[in-house]
């Protein structure tokens, strides 16, 4: 009975390594040979990969022997361990969790909810007279093209100051004139 060769083991328990280099293009050859090149892990011409010497690898190398160069790797060379998809996912999850924790620390919040923005503003407004505090829970900056909102005073205070009040009890803001003639005063137009 013909015995098939098995992977040889060295003293460290690992198999003998083969250095496989893709040296000739697979264009014009059977598709099964192109797929064999791909299954060996070769993606580009002149790329080199390491594989343990085994009957399955030897069979693939026999099929594409005219396209590759095979050498035995020098002793002491080990095949690098590949990271699995699960390991990459776990590493990415840990990086995101660390970034989230850093953001929470920067905002002086803990992961359980901690202080909210309103509470932080409330503590910042302590000791400030009520008349000078912002009107709402957050004082938003005016967007582009908008006039900043003035704090609204009660209608009685505006009437005492001589400002006209509209139907809602708020003064109507003055609208800037867009025409050039309206921008000049009548005294200038007469001269």
């Amino acid at each position: 009975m013909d015995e098939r060769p098995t992977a040889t083991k060295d003293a460290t328990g690992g198999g003998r390594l083969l250095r496989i280099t893709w040296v000739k293009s697979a264009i014009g050859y059977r598709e099964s040979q192109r797929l064999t090149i791909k299954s060996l892990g070769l993606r580009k011409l002149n790329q080199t990969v390491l594989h343990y010497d085994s009957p399955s690898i030897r069979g693939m190398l026999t099929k594409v022997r005219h396209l590759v160069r095979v050498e035995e790797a020098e002793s002491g060379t080990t095949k690098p361990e590949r990271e699995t998809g699960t390991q990459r996912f776990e590493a990415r999850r840990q990086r995101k969790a660390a970034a989230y924790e850093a953001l929470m620390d920067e905002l002086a919040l803990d992961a359980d909810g901690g202080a909210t923005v309103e509470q932080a503003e409330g503590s910042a407004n302590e000791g400030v007279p009520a008349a000078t505090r912002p009107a709402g829970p957050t004082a938003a900056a005016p967007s582009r093209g908008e006039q900043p909102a003035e704090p609204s005073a009660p209608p009685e205070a505006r009437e005492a100051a001589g400002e006209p009040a509209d139907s809602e009890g708020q003064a109507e803001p003055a609208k800037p004139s867009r025409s050039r003639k309206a921008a000049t005063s009548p005294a200038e137009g007469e001269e």
Side-chain angles (χ1 to χ4, degrees):
M1 183 169 163
D2 186 27
E3 287 188 29
R4 293 185 171 186
T6 60
T8 59
K9 302 282 182 182
D10 60 6
T12 62
R16 191 173 68 194
L17 280 174
L18 299 176
R19 185 180 306 277
I20 304 163
T21 306
W22 186 11
V23 294
K24 186 176 179 186
S25 173
I27 295 174
Y29 291 97
R30 293 189 312 250
E31 184 176 358
S32 63
Q33 292 175 349
R34 288 193 299 266
L35 293 174
T36 302
I37 291 287
K38 188 175 181 180
S39 65
L40 282 169
L42 297 166
R43 302 292 179 253
K44 298 179 182 179
L45 205 57
N46 297 317
Q47 180 184 2
T48 301
V49 293
L50 292 174
H51 281 287
Y52 289 109
D53 189 8
S54 68
S56 61
I57 295 295
R58 286 289 180 173
M60 288 193 273
L61 293 175
T62 301
K63 187 168 191 171
V64 293
R65 65 184 172 272
H66 55 288
L67 303 176
V68 297
R69 181 177 61 234
V70 180
E71 305 162 340
E72 190 171 326
E74 54 273 356
S75 63
T77 304
T78 59
K79 187 174 179 180
E81 293 296 321
R82 293 182 59 183
E83 190 177 42
T84 64
T86 303
Q87 291 168 334
R88 287 191 303 268
F89 176 78
E90 184 63 27
R92 186 170 60 242
R93 190 185 66 76
Q94 289 175 356
R95 284 192 309 268
K96 285 185 176 185
Y100 177 77
E101 288 296 324
L103 179 63
M104 290 295 120
D105 289 343
E106 184 178 319
L107 295 174
L109 301 175
D110 58 25
D112 297 331
T116 62
V117 175
E118 290 82 14
Q119 291 171 347
E121 286 181 0
S123 64
N125 287 334
E126 289 177 8
V128 178
T132 58
R133 287 186 190 167
T138 58
S143 63
R144 189 174 186 188
E146 290 182 9
Q147 301 263 338
E150 296 180 18
S152 60
E156 299 82 29
R158 278 183 283 156
E159 289 175 9
E163 295 179 15
D166 62 352
S167 61
E168 295 179 8
Q170 294 183 356
E172 190 72 31
K175 294 183 181 178
S177 173
R178 293 189 184 250
S179 73
R180 188 171 185 160
K181 289 182 182 179
T184 61
S185 66
E188 291 178 33
E190 293 175 1
E191 291 178 302

